[in-house]
Amino acid sequence: MFCNGQPADAATLGAALINYGHFTSLQVRGHAVQGLDLHLQRLAHATQALFGSMLDERQVQRWMAQALQHAGMADASLRVTVFSRAFDFRDPLSVVPVDVLVAVSAPVQLSASRAVCSVRYQRELPALKHVGTFGLFQQRREAMAAGFDDALFLNEEDQVSEGSTWNLALHDGQQLVWPQAAALRGTAEALLRQHWNGPQVVRAVAAAELDRIQAAFACNASGIWPLGAIDGRALAGSEPLAAQGRAVMAAVPWQPLQV
């Protein structure tokens, strides 16, 4: 882990435990990232929203590249967390400088099919990738205890929103459907929507419609995987739909980290 370009010490990590901040997770291959600009924009927007501060995106990019160099890795998973050692929960409106924590770990690529169950759950501030992840992981834990692989969220209006840590696309037999309900709009979703070669639409999806869906896949920066079943109903078309999504992403350019 590196904070502001330097190896993180215990004092720095202690400040990060306040649990107020935001992050982005991404995959690096050959010192390059798909949707790097989207990840940096996400960090800059959330920094302004949570701290009232401006984020130097170019500096963050340099710190990401430096962390990879220190780790001696060209392929990796990165988590970039923005927090502030100057943040005081007693005075949360104060504009404070922020700190950037970069964690480097082994690369991952998700592709295995998963069976999910729908649950009524809405994240706080769903448009921000904030560090309040307790509810997400607890919903996944409960889904697994019930015999599923993960949880699919429905909002208070019984509309499909997102998965625990992923977005999803559904196919109704005619077109790709992206649920419109409030959710964290991921970088993989944005790239797929931009490059998808075929009919697609963004609209509200009622939970009752899940019985008529023919195929679905989940996506995040770690990959695309088929949703083999939702609420126990098998989706035979999910494997080829996910393969189509992976083919789309394979053609998306990778942006170098080096500034």
Side-chain angles (χ1 to χ4, degrees):
M1 285 189 181
F2 300 86
C3 184
N4 302 337
Q6 301 298 320
D9 56 20
T12 301
L13 295 178
L17 295 178
I18 293 175
N19 202 37
Y20 187 80
H22 63 90
F23 70 100
T24 195
S25 297
L26 50 94
Q27 293 296 307
V28 182
R29 300 293 184 270
H31 296 284
V33 178
Q34 284 183 311
L36 174 61
D37 54 338
L38 300 177
H39 286 284
L40 292 172
Q41 289 167 20
R42 164 188 282 169
L43 292 173
H45 169 72
T47 297
Q48 180 65 41
L50 296 184
F51 298 103
S53 303
M54 300 294 292
L55 186 70
D56 187 339
E57 296 179 36
R58 301 277 283 184
Q59 181 62 74
V60 172
Q61 186 174 341
R62 283 191 289 269
W63 285 336
M64 292 162 64
Q66 289 173 10
L68 280 176
Q69 183 178 6
H70 280 293
M73 301 170 70
D75 299 344
S77 300
L78 290 186
R79 171 172 164 145
V80 183
T81 303
V82 178
F83 68 105
S84 176
R85 285 175 286 186
F87 177 76
D88 184 348
F89 67 88
R90 292 166 291 261
D91 183 21
L93 289 179
S94 179
V95 177
V96 294
V98 295
D99 301 284
V100 178
L101 189 68
V102 181
V104 185
S105 58
V108 299
Q109 180 66 50
L110 301 178
S111 61
S113 179
R114 295 183 185 178
V116 302
C117 62
S118 58
V119 299
R120 183 74 67 83
Y121 183 77
Q122 178 74 67
R123 294 190 308 114
E124 293 181 334
L125 298 177
L128 297 181
K129 195 175 179 71
H130 53 74
V131 296
T133 56
F134 173 85
L136 308 181
F137 301 151
Q138 180 62 19
Q139 291 297 329
R140 175 180 284 171
R141 186 176 188 273
E142 292 178 7
M144 294 178 71
F148 298 91
D149 298 313
D150 212 333
L152 171 63
F153 298 155
L154 309 174
N155 65 16
E156 292 183 354
E157 288 76 39
D158 263 353
Q159 295 178 346
V160 176
S161 58
E162 59 186 329
S164 61
T165 57
W166 39 271
N167 298 111
L168 77 156
L170 310 165
H171 206 283
D172 61 8
Q174 297 182 329
Q175 61 189 349
L176 199 68
V177 180
W178 298 96
Q180 191 178 42
L184 177 65
R185 303 264 75 101
T187 58
E189 176 187 311
L191 292 172
L192 284 163
R193 286 172 57 180
Q194 179 182 350
H195 296 278
W196 190 261
N197 184 20
Q200 60 177 321
V201 65
V202 179
R203 65 169 177 84
V205 178
E209 292 185 60
L210 293 174
D211 289 337
R212 302 191 296 274
I213 291 297
Q214 299 185 9
F217 65 71
C219 61
N220 62 23
S222 297
I224 296 174
W225 58 97
L227 296 181
I230 298 178
D231 292 332
R233 178 175 173 270
L235 300 175
S238 293
E239 289 279 1
L241 186 66
Q244 186 177 352
R246 286 192 286 267
V248 170
M249 289 298 290
V252 174
W254 291 73
Q255 299 171 284
L257 268 177
Q258 293 292 344
V259 178

